[in-house]
Amino acid sequence: MKKQHIIPAAVLSVSTVLAACGNNEADQPAGAENEAGNEEKGELTIGVTPWTSTIPPTYVAKHIFEEMGYEVELTEADVSTIFIGLAGDDIDVYMDSWMPVHENYYEQYSEDVTNISTSYPEAASGLVVPDYVDDVESIADLKGREDEFGNELYGIEEGASVMDELRDLIEEYELDMELVASSEGGMLAQAQRNMSSGDPVLFYGWRPHSMFNEFDIELLDDTDEFFEEASVHVMAAKSMEESSPEAYEFLSNWSINIDDVEEMIVQIEEGEDEEDVAAQWVEENRDQVDEMMGN
Amino acid sequence: MNYFTLPLEEWTNTFINEWLLPVFGGFFNGISIVLSWLVDGVTSTLLFIPPELFALLIALLAWKLSGRNLAIFALAGFLYIGAVDIWIESMTTLSIVLVSTVVSIFIGVPIGILSAMNGRVEQAVRPTLDFMQTLPVFIYLIPAVLLFGLGGVPAVIATTIFAMPPAVRMTNLGIRQVPSDIIEASQAFGSTSKQMLMKVQLPLAVPTIMAGVNQTIMLALSMAVVASMIGAPGLGSIVLSGISNVNVGQGLVGGLGIVVLAIILDRMTQGLTKKTAV
């Protein structure tokens, strides 16, 4: 019983915010919007992984869902847990699924989870070295110079499919290197450690990521196209199509510019509030947002 | 409640990046080299011994320290480890646990003795231990990598921070628990405080200290999975890989390996504790 009182109140406050924002829907009085059936659109839960690239799209989506009249909750979890949550309807949306890195999860749960849209294609990834390492421009240049890098290549967590790719790469290029598994944080800490003493270091990097703003590093040329071009996708629970059709429709139209994402990552790392950064993006890209909302 | 701003975040980052790393980087590098030599040495020794021989030796030791049941369990446990093909990983984990335990004892027991002899030391040590035990492990994983690099070494450091407190506490407790009539008797015979410590207090405290060592080993094993996030090879890495792939079976395979090691080590050190008590 209590819940029924809360939801209209929340919708009301959302529509007040809408009115305050002065967007094109605000010409309807708040009450009329309620009568139009916008109330009780329900709750949406977005899964959030602890990666820098997840935050901007997640908060942009949250902002837009709230404009549409949903209540949005964010649940932080590990990517495997998020896929289990999507399959079990505990989580509705996940904004930062990397393909082909997350291919194995998607295959496992594709019965209940849908790859609803491509957030941005062409997210570059590959081997990264600091700028001060001379004469290493491509992966092939590493051959014969492995000892400069301590014969180690630093990767992310064991079990991620990119780790198998990196092992194949070492084999294919016949590099005398050992792949060291850890985690995003562990790998970056190791890279920072080597860079602080000016030593060469080789690790796995990808865009969008703030590492390219924080450190002077370059992505090595991948002449043999070893790394498949990654793309970032939005995953949604299949049940959403019925339970939250408007949000589902919006997600199926979703896309965002990779440069915008990287810019937002930097703003957030510089201490700006995630919600403000997202709101600002929505204001600046109102036309695109309207289009995605099907207006 | 924010009456003033505490820039703890910036302070810590500045401290680590602009002072600790440039000034003491070489020093930590030295520690790192010594420890990695130690971990690698123990690992390759353990792997050098043929698995069959190793299993038999541990079973015999288990029989001697604890009894026939543990010996049978140890044999069955090592058969399991061989059958699921995680021998190398188990030995790697064992070696990180052994090195961390030895480091914990080498640092922990003397601190325990000092704090038993001196009330002020105890007053300073106790909150430090509380801090070490309650600070979430993840917080010092990354600084451990910054200082010591990825691999077994930061794992040993992080494990030591986490597993040392019982060694200190139990040593302190063991010495303080020595009955005062025994102390008085040995004073009456004119023992110096050094003799008192070495010949009376420490021998009587050994069972309690051993209980602390047992706790240290158990805590060290429980760090195995977490340590794999900073590149420590071994059973933890199997479990982590299983978790991140939603491969429940693989997680269990590695997890049971940890359980086998834990039970053998636990019962053996408990047996040793009982033997020293007699």
Side-chain angles (χ1 to χ4, degrees), chain A residues 78-81 84 104-105 108-109 154-155 157-161 180-183 185-190 192-193 196, chain B residues 17 21-22 25 28-29 32 142 145-151 228-232 237-238 240-247:
Chain A
D78 193 56
V79 57
S80 56
T81 318
I84 296 173
N104 49 350
Y105 304 118
Q108 213 164 336
Y109 296 108
Y154 301 106
E157 59 268 28
E158 193 59 82
S161 58
V180 181
S182 59
S183 51
M187 177 186 83
L188 290 175
Q190 173 69 45
Q192 199 180 330
R193 177 174 190 262
S196 73
Chain B
N17 293 329
L21 280 181
F28 289 113
N29 238 342
S32 181
I142 296 304
V145 175
L146 283 176
L147 296 178
F148 302 101
L150 283 176
S228 65
M229 299 182 71
I230 47 172
S237 169
I238 297 182
L240 190 67
S241 163
I243 297 171
S244 51
N245 280 322
V246 205
N247 184 339

Side-chain angles (χ1 to χ4, degrees), chain A residues 3-204:
Chain A
K3 212 170 177 185
Q4 283 178 339
H5 288 287
I6 293 169
I7 291 172
V11 171
L12 216 92
S13 69
V14 168
S15 28
T16 326
V17 171
L18 280 182
C21 285
N23 72 34
N24 46 10
E25 273 182 334
D27 49 3
Q28 296 177 332
E33 207 177 301
N34 276 351
E35 277 162 31
N38 274 6
E39 80 270 34
E40 291 189 27
K41 272 192 175 162
E43 284 183 29
L44 286 175
T45 305
I46 311 182
V48 185
T49 38
W51 310 321
T52 39
S53 62
T54 313
I55 304 298
T58 300
Y59 277 87
V60 168
K62 175 173 186 272
H63 187 92
I64 295 170
F65 285 146
E66 284 172 348
E67 274 190 11
M68 292 165 91
Y70 292 95
E71 269 189 75
V72 181
E73 200 185 312
L74 301 184
T75 299
E76 291 204 25
D78 193 56
V79 57
S80 56
T81 318
I82 286 177
F83 269 87
I84 296 173
L86 282 167
D89 287 342
D90 296 320
I91 291 173
D92 300 296
V93 186
Y94 174 47
M95 301 299 294
D96 196 32
S97 183
W98 286 64
M99 293 294 173
V101 187
H102 295 165
E103 195 78 57
N104 49 350
Y105 304 118
Y106 180 56
E107 270 170 25
Q108 213 164 336
Y109 296 108
S110 54
E111 212 169 284
D112 302 304
V113 181
T114 175
N115 179 352
I116 190 168
S117 55
T118 305
S119 203
Y120 42 89
E122 295 166 7
S125 69
L127 299 187
V128 172
V129 297
D131 279 343
Y132 57 73
V133 177
D134 291 327
D135 301 325
V136 177
E137 304 297 333
S138 73
I139 301 175
D141 292 342
L142 292 167
K143 183 79 189 141
R145 298 181 56 177
E146 294 95 333
D147 56 330
E148 287 175 38
F149 297 90
N151 297 79
E152 283 179 336
L153 161 60
Y154 301 106
I156 51 173
E157 59 268 28
E158 193 59 82
S161 58
V162 67
M163 294 296 281
D164 291 332
E165 268 181 55
L166 291 174
R167 278 194 193 91
D168 292 345
L169 176 138
I170 290 176
E171 204 169 307
E172 195 153 308
Y173 282 87
E174 294 176 340
L175 297 176
D176 178 20
M177 283 203 157
E178 198 189 333
L179 179 64
V180 181
S182 59
S183 51
E184 178 181 339
M187 177 186 83
L188 290 175
Q190 173 69 45
Q192 199 180 330
R193 177 174 190 262
N194 284 38
M195 285 191 256
S196 73
S197 54
D199 294 328
V201 58
L202 179 68
F203 59 105
Y204 174 68

Side-chain angles (χ1 to χ4, degrees), chain B residues 74-141:
Chain B
L75 277 182
F78 284 122
L79 275 178
Y80 163 78
I81 286 175
V84 292
D85 198 19
I86 53 172
W87 187 269
I88 296 175
E89 288 84 356
S90 301
M91 292 303 120
T92 315
T93 294
L94 187 59
S95 115
I96 290 175
V97 168
L98 288 180
V99 174
S100 322
T101 308
V102 169
V103 175
S104 297
I105 293 171
F106 261 88
I107 303 173
V109 171
I111 293 177
I113 294 175
L114 274 179
S115 52
M117 315 290 269
N118 186 326
R120 287 213 173 155
V121 175
E122 198 198 9
Q123 272 178 10
V125 163
R126 208 195 286 176
T128 314
L129 295 182
D130 293 339
F131 187 79
M132 283 160 71
Q133 278 189 303
T134 48
L135 192 72
V137 186
F138 290 93
I139 292 172
Y140 47 82
L141 285 184

